[in-house]
Each structure stands twice: as C-alpha cells, then as structure tokens.
Amino acid sequence: MATPAGDAHTTETDPDGPVGRDASRDHGGPAHDGALRAAAERHLRALAGESARLREDQWTAIHALVAERRRALVVQRTGWGKSAVYFVATALRRAEGAGPTVIVSPLLALMRNQISAAERAGIRARTINSANTTAWETVYADVSAGEVDVLLVSPERLNNPEFRDRVLPELAAGAGLVVIDEAHCVSDWGHDFRPDYRRIRSLLHDLPDGVPVLATTATANERVTRDVAEQLRSGDTRQDTLVLRGSLERESLRLAVARLPDPTARLSWLAEHLPKIQGSGIVYTLTVSAALETARFLSEQGLDVRAYTGQTDPDERRRAEDDLLANRVKALVATSALGMGFDKPDLGFVVHLGAPQSPISYYQQVGRAGRGVERAEVVLLPGREDTQIWEYFAGLSFPPEATVRETLAVLAAEGAPMSVARLETRVDLRRTRLEQMLKVLDVDGAVRRVRGGWTATGLPWEYDAERYAAVAEAREREQRAMLDYLSTDTCRMEFLRRQLDDAQAKPCGRCDVCTGEYWPTDVDPGRRAAAADHLDRPGTPITPRRQWPTGMDALGVTLSGKIKEELRAGEGRALARLTDVGWGTELRRILAEDAPDEPVSDRVLQGVVRVLATWGWERRPVGVVVMPSLTRPAMITDLARRLCDLGRLAPVGALGYRSESGPGPRRHNSALRLHQVYSELVLGDETAQRLVDLQAGTPGPVLLVDDHTDTGWSLTVGAALLRRAGAPEVLPFTLATNGG
C-alpha cells in the first residue's frame, strides 16, 4: 500500500484542459506546507512501516485535499498506494478538527481490508453494509459522538430510504473528507458500471463548500477519466477536478496466453501447471458453474482449492479469502465476485479460464497479482465458448425505450409505492435487470425509492438512446480488442496499457511475446483422461419451486404464499447447465434457436441414461409424462419414448396447451411466465386416465420430461396438475437448465 523510499514513479497529467491540472507543480512555499508534509510522512510510517515514504503524486493528492480542500481523481495502478492517500488525509483532517471521512466502497472484502489497514494506523473505522444491519444504530451513535474517523458505506446504502433521508444529510454536512473508491463504477463507459454509484453525484452536490473529495481507481481509460472528473465537478462554482494519472506499468507481471483445443485440455493444463507455479493465486472463470466445476476437478486432482462466486455463502467467502491471504490454499477458483479491493501483496499468479470481455476488466483482475513479489505469472486460457458467454451478458444492457416507458406508466397509474415483486407482474423484465433499470431511472430523477417500493416522480425524462447505443458500441469494441489481445504479436503489457490510454506504454520485455518463451500446451494423457471423465459426468439438480411469486392476484391468478407440499414437484435433474464447459457446449448447439427439431444423438441419450442411473431417488419412477413443446416436439417426444423403452417405464402421455399458439412468446420474469403457463397448461382426460390406471396397478413417481428449464414455472405447474390427478411424486427431468 505504501511506497518505499527510492521507488521509481511517473506522473501523467490530463492533457485536455478543464478537468485536468498539472500535477508536477512545485510544492515549496509556506512553512506550513513543510510541516504538513512532515506530519503526512509520520502518519504514513504508522500505516505502512518505518521505511515508507510518500510518492510525490501521493503528496500532491494529500496537499490538494488537506491544504486546498479540492476535489481530486487519482488513476493509478493497483498497489500504488491510493488508500494511503485517503488514510493519511483522514488523519490530517481529523487533527484539524474535521469530521469523519466517508468512503463509498463497493465490496465487503474491500471494506474488511480497508478497516484492517486503518486500525494499524490508529484510525477508528466502521462500516455500514448489508452484512452488519444489526450494528447500524450503534455505528450511527458512534459517528454522532465523534468516535469514528472513517465510515465505509456501500453504494447501495445511498438510496436506502432511511439511510438517505435520516443519516446521509447529517453525514454529508459533517464529513471531513469524502472518498469514492473504485470510481470507474460511476461511469457507464467504465467496465463495471454500477447504477448505485451514480447517486454519488447527488451526495457530492449537497456537500458544504470546503469538504474535499477524492475519487480513486486503477482501471480507467481517458474517456472514463474525463466522465468521472466531470461528475466530481458538482456546480458551476466548483474548482476543476485535479486529475493525477500515472503509469500503469506492473514490473512483476509475466503475461502469457496459452491456446488449448478444448475444455478437457484446459482443465488438465491447470491441474498439471498450477502446482509448478510458486505461491498461491486466483483462477478466474466466466461463470458460476465453471468455477464450481473447475474447483471440483482440481480438488479431485489433489490441489487445495476453494470455489468463490457471488452465490457462495458470505461466511464461506470470508473463510476462503482468509485461507488465500494466509496461503492455506493453492488457489481460489473464482468469478468476478472476487475482484475489486482484494488485497494480497504476495499473490503469485492469476490464471483465467476463459477470456473476460474487456481488456480493461482483464487488466484490473490480473492487477491483483505481484504487488509484493518480484515475479507473478499471469496466464489466459481462452475458450471457443467465450464469445457466447459475452453475448449472454450483453443481453443485460439497459432495456429498450418502450419497456422503460411502460414501467414509468405503470408506476404513475398505480399512484402508490410498488414493490419490485409487484412491478414484475406488469413489466416483462427479470428482477435483476428491472432493479438495475429502476436505479438508473432513480439517478435520472424519473422514479424514487421510498418505503414500500418505488414511485414515479412525474418529472420529465428523456431516453438517451444515443448514449446507450454508444455505450453498447464501446462494449463491442472492447470485445474485439480482447480478441486482438489473444492473437497479438506485440507486447501484451503494452497492449493492455494502450487500451487504458497509458501514454507511457512501451514493450515490457517480460511477456511471452517479448521473450519468445511460451507456456507448453502439451498435457499429460493421464490428466487429460481424468479431465475428460470429469467433464463427461452428466447431471445437475433442478431445485423445486417452493413459493408462488408475490402479487399474482394483479394478473387474475389466485396463487400466493407457499406451494402446498401435496402439489410440489420433487427435486429434478438436468443433463447439464447451458453454461457448463462440458455438456453445456453440446446442449447449446442442439437447443439453439436455429437448431433442427430432431432426436438427440446416441451420446446425449447415453448421458441422460447415466443421469437417471445415478439419480439416487427414494422410489424408482414408474412412468413418463411429456411436457408440451411448440419448438422441439419431435426431440422431446422421441426422448420420452426412448426413456420408456430403456427403463421399462410406462408412457403416460403428454400435457397440453389450451390454445394452438400455446403460452405465447416466452416471458422473462417469474410472475409473467407463471401467468402464461398457469393459463395455458392442461392435463387432458386421456393422459389423466392413464395416470390413474398406472397408479392403480403400479403406484410410484412419474418423470416429467422437457427440453429446457429457465424460470421453472412450466415444470412447477405441470407437476401440480399431475399431483392433483393422483401422482404421488413428480420428478422433473430436462436436457438443460440455465446456470450462472
């Protein structure tokens, strides 16, 4: 975090005028500047040890904050010492009698590291986030009593109605310094834009004159830097933002790309080479399912690894972080959930199993490594499926104007706060995407979050189609640049630095292109066979729905609360997740929109049989029921017939739709999808009678077969129909399920 005396450093100034200022100006002058710097150096040594000395750019930022009460943006590489700037500035401001520093920080891991660092320097730090709700009132009281030097706040808190209306005004009025960590999140041009961060503009606008503001990031190109700096300039009378932008060179990193032909080769490469790399590190994957699958395989191969995703239990995530920090594990196999703020100076390697869709986000993730060691290995193992995963995430962009206008109209017509769950019954967006859209509209002033949900403000609002299209185009350019990185014949570090508009970019002399030293791509046949066996293991659970969505009465559907036990589906199985690196590849091909409706291959059928053979059910099924399908009736009907033949199961028949067109275009959220299938799905008399006859002669569970499950409501309603007709248990089975 701190900089030893004598470390080389460079300073780059913003060349374009209004948001920039020459950072190399002479700080000689009044005697109090000398005293201030001496005090700053003392605080730094308390924070980072007796050998620590301030970089000139660190001192420039601290002087601007403390002596000039300015707003500053620091864009410097990971490990440069950005947190030292705000902790030293905090100590100096508190010594002057100023209020506490408020740090807006995006991740719990980052907060924990920051609190530990602050405590080492005698700085009293507390946090307000979703993991410590029971302590909030105590924290508020301690802040009011002046017993807190640093308060870390998650961006989501800024629009919690109680925090926003009761706590935030007092904090803003009494703050001695405001810090925005990972400030690239403020900009929708940034690789990790977060709508909650945009509310920081309102916080900054309401600050009293003279409260300094510091924004920091390690990953911002020129466009993002300009956008963030402009947002820091809140009001016409504010000074221009001081921009300190340094070199992004990381002398310890050895960048490389190893192209391997398939997922089997990539997994076996990991198992073979990770033990040879010194130290512990991170293996990044693009999806949750890939992280879990990879961690299982590496564990089977004798490596001590842990999976780490956004779906991992918070306590388990913290234990995993602690194990990596203490070098008790070789690696965490993680999604991007392990990202900003994870501070382990001796991290020895970062390996990517699949390419991120942006060189900028890739640089941020590899920047976790090599901060306190002379050499760190950074290897990218791209996969053919990477671009398909990018396409999926691209579908989560800001919705089209018609959908946004529809949402505003629904809120306006309601005339009272609407919960997201109730709004789902009227707007066809998945909950995550709906919440993201509401946050953007909140920042734009079109809606407001209040107790009980969301309301329309009635204020004029324009759909900025040009900006949204430009952002989407920028994302596409980043994806093309990422593909160029994989095949570049020039220095890889220079390539990444140029993507971040680092004017000082030059060949590093260390990467595989510069040295001509490439990682071997031959893999041990035994390990490859083990990887192939691992990826060929079919089967993933389908967890049954247990609760009806909220607000279904608004759609004329009288379903609410828990699904009755006597109508509930049992735990089902799918051959694989669509995002799996093994079977998922084949399933994405045969279930693609333009794929022909034809029987599954013998290989897929063998996988299905293996899933059924290892299911471990309490009672063996006695019959098979087919879900109706308008897109793949031949595939599903043939699959059900073959299952009956192979398993000696009774063909019970199929469910049907009330109308020839079926439920209509697939809805994306739970409430509207349930309304569709509940209104259309039926159990015909002939199938019902076969079910009754079967249960009278050979009672037992029935398999409910479909090609794919997404929201799970088709299977849930189908199971309820069959249970009501006399099936003692319904076990859903599909070829594919959506995965993370």
Side-chain angles (χ1 to χ4, degrees):
M1 180 173 63
T3 306
D7 268 14
H9 72 278
T10 56
T11 301
E12 175 186 333
T13 57
D14 187 331
D16 293 316
V19 300
R21 173 177 173 178
D22 185 357
S24 60
R25 69 192 190 284
D26 183 6
H27 281 298
H32 70 81
D33 276 5
L36 186 67
R37 177 154 190 169
E41 296 281 6
R42 287 196 302 272
H43 288 302
L44 179 68
R45 290 194 293 273
L47 185 68
E50 285 301 316
S51 65
R53 299 292 185 274
L54 284 172
R55 298 173 184 268
E56 284 305 311
D57 294 352
Q58 289 174 317
W59 166 239
T60 299
I62 292 167
H63 185 273
L65 297 169
V66 178
E68 302 175 17
R69 312 288 172 80
R70 293 199 59 182
R71 298 189 172 193
L73 170 60
V74 174
V75 183
Q76 298 283 359
R77 66 180 183 270
T78 302
W80 174 87
K82 296 181 290 292
S83 59
V85 171
Y86 52 74
F87 283 136
V88 170
T90 293
L92 294 172
R93 291 284 286 143
R94 291 291 277 167
E96 295 175 344
T101 291
V102 178
I103 302 177
V104 181
S105 185
L107 295 178
L108 296 183
L110 180 55
M111 288 185 179
R112 288 194 289 269
N113 290 334
Q114 288 168 325
I115 288 175
S116 297
E119 289 173 347
R120 290 196 297 271
I123 295 173
R124 299 167 297 181
R126 301 292 295 277
T127 180
I128 296 174
N129 60 68
S130 58
N132 71 339
T133 55
T134 58
W136 288 359
E137 290 299 327
T138 302
V139 173
Y140 298 156
D142 290 345
V143 171
S144 298
E147 297 175 359
V148 174
D149 300 316
V150 171
L151 180 65
L152 293 108
V153 180
S154 62
E156 293 77 15
R157 288 302 101 209
L158 298 179
N159 204 39
N160 173 275
E162 181 181 5
F163 183 83
R164 181 193 63 211
D165 299 334
R166 181 168 78 87
V167 180
L168 192 57
E170 183 179 343
L171 275 180
L177 170 66
V178 172
V179 177
I180 305 154
D181 214 355
E182 307 296 348
H184 59 274
C185 297
V186 172
S187 174
D188 54 5
W189 299 104
H191 72 274
D192 195 21
F193 168 60
R194 301 188 181 194
D196 288 301
Y197 259 71
R198 293 297 288 270
R199 273 190 277 272
I200 292 171
R201 291 186 300 182
S202 300
L203 168 65
L204 299 181
H205 185 274
D206 295 337
L207 287 177
D209 289 338
V211 176
V213 177
L214 173 67
T216 68
T217 180
T219 46
N221 59 18
E222 196 63 47
R223 187 168 200 168
V224 173
T225 298
R226 179 171 307 285
D227 189 20
V228 174
E230 289 287 1
Q231 292 189 49
L232 291 180
R233 293 181 66 210
S234 180
D236 295 336
T237 61
R238 303 285 190 185
Q239 286 180 296
D240 294 338
T241 301
L242 168 66
V243 177
L244 294 168
R245 185 177 170 85
S247 168
L248 300 178
E249 173 68 285
R250 293 295 305 276
E251 296 180 358
S252 63
L253 301 185
R254 289 349 190 226
L255 300 176
V257 172
R259 288 185 176 273
L260 295 142
D262 51 47
T264 298
R266 292 198 296 277
L267 276 189
S268 50
W269 189 98
L270 279 175
E272 186 169 338
H273 289 284
L274 283 189
K276 302 174 184 177
I277 303 176
Q278 187 172 358
S280 56
I282 301 171
V283 176
Y284 277 113
T285 67
L286 299 186
T287 66
V288 171
S289 58
L292 300 176
E293 198 169 72
T294 302
R296 281 195 296 268
F297 173 71
L298 293 178
S299 295
E300 291 170 0
Q301 292 297 301
L303 278 76
D304 195 354
V305 302
R306 307 279 188 277
Y308 186 109
T309 77
Q311 297 178 15
T312 306
D313 176 79
D315 290 337
E316 189 176 337
R317 283 206 303 269
R318 183 166 186 171
R319 286 193 296 271
E321 292 169 17
D322 291 342
D323 285 344
L324 183 58
L325 288 169
N327 294 314
R328 289 191 291 265
V329 295
K330 182 63 179 179
L332 297 187
V333 184
T335 63
S336 59
L338 181 67
M340 293 182 295
F342 184 76
D343 184 11
K344 179 177 169 58
D346 63 339
L347 198 73
F349 61 86
V350 170
V351 178
H352 277 75
L353 193 63
Q357 58 183 322
S358 161
I360 301 173
S361 60
Y362 180 64
Y363 177 86
Q364 184 198 55
Q365 290 178 346
V366 302
R368 306 264 70 80
R371 293 161 60 177
V373 294
E374 292 185 1
R375 180 182 181 118
E377 305 298 339
V378 174
V379 188
L380 174 54
L381 310 176
R384 294 178 181 176
E385 69 277 5
D386 295 348
T387 54
Q388 295 175 322
I389 296 171
W390 297 351
E391 289 173 5
Y392 169 78
F393 288 119
L396 304 179
S397 58
F398 196 68
E401 183 172 6
T403 303
V404 183
R405 295 289 181 194
E406 179 187 11
T407 305
L408 292 174
V410 169
L411 289 171
E414 184 74 10
M418 291 186 73
S419 67
V420 174
R422 191 165 187 85
L423 196 53
E424 272 188 307
T425 66
R426 306 286 297 279
V427 179
D428 186 24
L429 289 175
R430 288 185 184 274
R431 179 164 298 190
T432 300
R433 199 172 178 205
L434 178 59
E435 288 175 337
Q436 291 285 88
M437 180 186 72
L438 289 169
K439 289 174 180 179
V440 173
L441 293 175
D442 186 7
V443 172
D444 291 343
V447 303
R448 182 172 173 81
R449 186 182 174 196
V450 297
R451 287 183 179 274
W454 294 84
T455 61
T457 63
L459 297 175
W461 178 80
E462 294 295 327
Y463 186 89
D464 196 346
E466 184 177 349
R467 184 178 180 90
Y468 301 141
V471 170
E473 184 180 345
R475 296 288 181 269
E476 291 176 4
R477 285 197 302 271
E478 290 176 351
Q479 292 177 3
R480 291 194 295 271
M482 196 68 228
L483 295 175
D484 290 341
Y485 174 82
L486 300 179
S487 57
T488 185
D489 57 1
T490 62
C491 172
R492 297 195 192 278
M493 178 59 77
E494 181 182 19
F495 184 100
L496 293 178
R497 291 173 66 185
R498 291 196 183 282
Q499 289 296 311
L500 281 151
D501 297 322
D502 183 352
Q504 301 174 52
K506 59 183 180 180
C508 69
R510 300 179 304 275
C511 70
D512 55 357
V513 176
C514 286
T515 63
E517 298 175 1
Y518 295 90
W519 284 88
T521 53
D522 295 333
V523 293
D524 176 75
R527 290 193 186 278
R528 188 180 179 99
D533 178 67
H534 176 85
L535 291 177
D536 199 43
R537 294 176 200 166
T540 189
I542 299 174
T543 303
R545 290 281 190 172
R546 299 181 181 276
Q547 189 94 10
W548 300 113
T550 304
M552 292 303 299
D553 57 319
L555 296 171
V557 177
T558 56
L559 297 173
S560 63
K562 291 184 177 180
I563 300 174
K564 294 179 180 179
E565 179 67 36
E566 61 269 21
L567 298 179
R568 193 181 299 164
E571 183 179 80
R573 292 289 187 278
L575 177 59
R577 302 178 185 89
L578 281 175
T579 54
D580 283 349
V581 294
W583 282 98
T585 302
E586 185 153 0
L587 291 176
R588 287 193 296 271
R589 180 183 62 79
I590 68 173
L591 298 180
E593 288 187 8
D594 58 353
D597 176 28
E598 59 187 15
V600 298
S601 66
D602 288 342
R603 169 176 152 73
V604 171
L605 182 64
Q606 290 168 6
V608 168
V609 171
R610 289 171 63 191
V611 173
L612 299 179
T614 58
W615 193 317
W617 40 51
E618 293 182 4
R619 290 189 293 171
R620 188 178 187 278
V622 297
V624 176
V625 177
V626 184
M627 288 289 292
S629 174
L630 298 177
T631 56
R632 298 182 187 87
M635 177 186 288
I636 301 309
T637 302
D638 180 76
L639 176 62
R641 178 189 61 77
R642 293 160 82 181
L643 288 178
C644 290
D645 292 344
L646 291 169
R648 298 191 179 93
L649 305 176
V652 179
L655 299 176
Y657 292 130
R658 295 183 190 279
S659 60
E660 290 185 6
S661 60
R666 180 178 290 275
R667 298 293 191 171
H668 299 292
N669 70 44
S670 282
L672 292 177
R673 182 58 181 167
L674 174 58
H675 177 249
Q676 279 186 315
V677 298
Y678 185 77
S679 302
E680 280 289 329
L681 204 58
V682 295
L683 175 61
D685 292 341
E686 184 176 350
T687 300
Q689 187 58 53
R690 288 179 183 167
L691 178 63
V692 170
D693 293 343
L694 175 65
Q695 295 300 324
T698 313
V702 295
L703 287 178
L704 181 58
V705 178
D706 205 352
D707 59 341
H708 172 231
T709 181
D710 184 6
T711 65
W713 289 115
S714 294
L715 295 173
T716 301
V717 173
L721 291 172
L722 294 170
R723 298 284 313 264
R724 199 175 276 122
E729 189 175 10
V730 177
L731 303 173
F733 177 80
T734 68
L735 292 174
T737 179
N738 275 3

